[in-house]
Amino acid sequence: MKLVRGFLTGTALCAAILAPCALPAQNNDDFDPLAAGIEENIRQPAVAPKHSKAVAAAMERLAVKLRHEGYNVSAVRSGEVIMVTLPCSLLFPPNSTSLSPKGESRLAPLTQFVEQNDKYKVIVAAHSDDTGDGLYADRLTADRANTVDDYFYRALGEQDSGIIPYGLGGDEPLMPNHGIENRAMNRRVEIYFVPTRALIDKAKNR
């Protein structure tokens, strides 16, 4: 199991990721994904505008496969990155950091895609609602992100999955934290599939 890559607070993560039409990230040969924040990791490696459609088409093929497995799939970064969203209630018992049997079975079909680390950089982001103590929410989401990472480590035969986990606490809600349904939507795990440089090069040369 790897330690989570720190907590993020006040980052306006959703706006940064879901509105990627601003200046694209520049590739950096010295970029260290294990030391970077989640926004940086989702934006790297960058894709030249002239190759964006080809990369998005390649990632859409992944999205089709994930939807076929029954996952809730979204395209971010102009379609260059694919995100799977899973409610925490589907993965964990309340206030627990241990996967339920149902949670393990729900993650299992993702293993075939996580192991393709020549094609995808995989990021796991765990979120909570804003109820309770903020430090507790930070620790809970960090531990849950690490638990998902550890699940894939074991599922791959105790091989490093290359996953980069983040615990984001309650700072990035999808919905206002009013009412049971909204808070349940905010308690989620997001799994991002970011194209590697190898996939980008292959897509643009097709």
Side-chain angles (χ1 to χ4, degrees):
M1 179 187 296
K2 301 192 296 295
L3 289 177
V4 74
R5 310 299 172 192
F7 306 128
L8 297 183
T9 56
T11 57
L13 175 63
C14 291
I17 296 168
L18 298 177
C21 297
L23 293 176
Q26 299 298 312
N27 285 312
N28 182 351
D29 291 338
D30 297 325
F31 179 73
D32 180 1
L34 300 183
I38 186 170
E39 300 98 329
E40 296 174 274
N41 259 313
I42 291 172
R43 292 181 181 275
Q44 289 286 346
V47 177
K50 64 181 179 180
H51 300 308
S52 181
K53 287 185 178 180
V55 173
M59 296 303 289
E60 176 58 22
R61 290 190 283 273
L62 169 64
V64 168
K65 295 176 182 177
L66 291 167
R67 292 188 187 104
H68 181 73
E69 296 287 352
Y71 292 109
N72 177 10
V73 177
S74 303
V76 299
R77 211 182 88 177
S78 300
E80 297 167 358
V81 173
I82 297 301
M83 178 180 71
V84 171
T85 302
L86 295 161
C88 283
S89 60
L90 191 63
L91 301 177
F92 302 96
N95 297 311
S96 175
T97 60
S98 298
L99 286 169
S100 65
K102 180 173 66 174
E104 291 195 357
S105 65
R106 197 68 196 100
L107 290 177
L110 288 172
T111 305
Q112 61 184 304
F113 306 108
V114 171
E115 69 179 341
Q116 298 180 49
N117 53 21
D118 58 324
K119 295 182 179 179
Y120 314 116
K121 175 175 68 175
V122 180
I123 299 166
V124 171
H127 301 261
S128 70
D129 59 30
D130 71 346
T131 58
D133 180 74
L135 290 177
Y136 171 78
D138 286 346
R139 175 50 57 193
L140 177 71
T141 55
D143 288 347
R144 284 179 167 180
N146 272 324
T147 294
V148 173
D149 180 17
D150 188 55
Y151 168 82
F152 287 115
Y153 171 78
R154 291 182 285 107
L156 294 172
E158 299 191 353
Q159 296 182 26
D160 188 356
S161 65
I163 284 175
I164 305 168
Y166 292 92
L168 301 181
D171 291 329
E172 304 297 341
L174 287 177
M175 304 291 290
N177 279 290
H178 305 308
I180 294 173
E181 291 185 2
N182 280 7
R183 288 195 293 271
M185 291 179 66
N186 291 334
R187 297 190 298 269
R188 68 200 188 276
V189 170
E190 295 168 340
I191 301 177
Y192 295 85
F193 291 86
V194 182
T196 62
R197 176 52 53 194
L199 186 148
I200 294 168
D201 289 343
K202 183 177 180 180
K204 73 183 184 183
N205 291 325
R206 287 186 64 150

